[in-house]
Amino acid sequence: MTTTTWTTCLDSFADHLEHQRQALAAGTPELITPFVPSGDLGALPVGLLARAKALQAQAESLTAAISEARTRTQAALADLHRPSEPARPSFIDSRA
């Protein structure tokens, strides 16, 4: 394919990453979806290699942020099920 096609693909990937960052920041991870490029792109033109690597680094950083957010959410959910103090037995004298 052409450099124009690759440029369009990289532009779309950059936009997709921005939407994912916004979804993560807004607390709507269900809106985070994988980016699926066209299967007929061919070889990446050398002139676009630096941009592609920069986008890959951004994607890896975002993946790490999503993983950290998931870990924090799982920990928060686990804390919801765990009482802060152990339950204390209480006895009620039912004798009048």
Side-chain angles (χ1 to χ4, degrees):
M1 282 293 174
T2 66
T3 299
T4 304
T5 303
W6 265 103
T7 300
T8 301
C9 179
L10 294 177
D11 289 345
S12 295
F13 187 39
D15 290 343
H16 191 81
L17 289 173
E18 182 56 31
H19 289 289
Q20 289 180 327
R21 277 192 282 282
Q22 291 173 3
L24 183 62
T28 53
E30 67 277 6
L31 299 178
I32 296 174
T33 59
F35 178 75
V36 182
S38 174
D40 61 351
L41 289 169
L44 176 69
V46 175
L48 297 175
L49 183 60
R51 181 166 185 226
K53 284 185 175 184
L55 289 171
Q56 179 183 9
Q58 290 176 31
E60 290 170 356
S61 175
L62 182 59
T63 298
I66 291 167
S67 179
E68 290 168 11
R70 181 178 182 212
T71 299
R72 284 191 307 272
T73 300
Q74 287 173 332
L77 288 172
D79 285 345
L80 288 175
H81 300 295
R82 193 175 315 132
S84 58
E85 293 182 10
R88 294 184 185 175
S90 65
F91 300 99
I92 299 173
D93 188 357
S94 59
R95 293 181 273 168

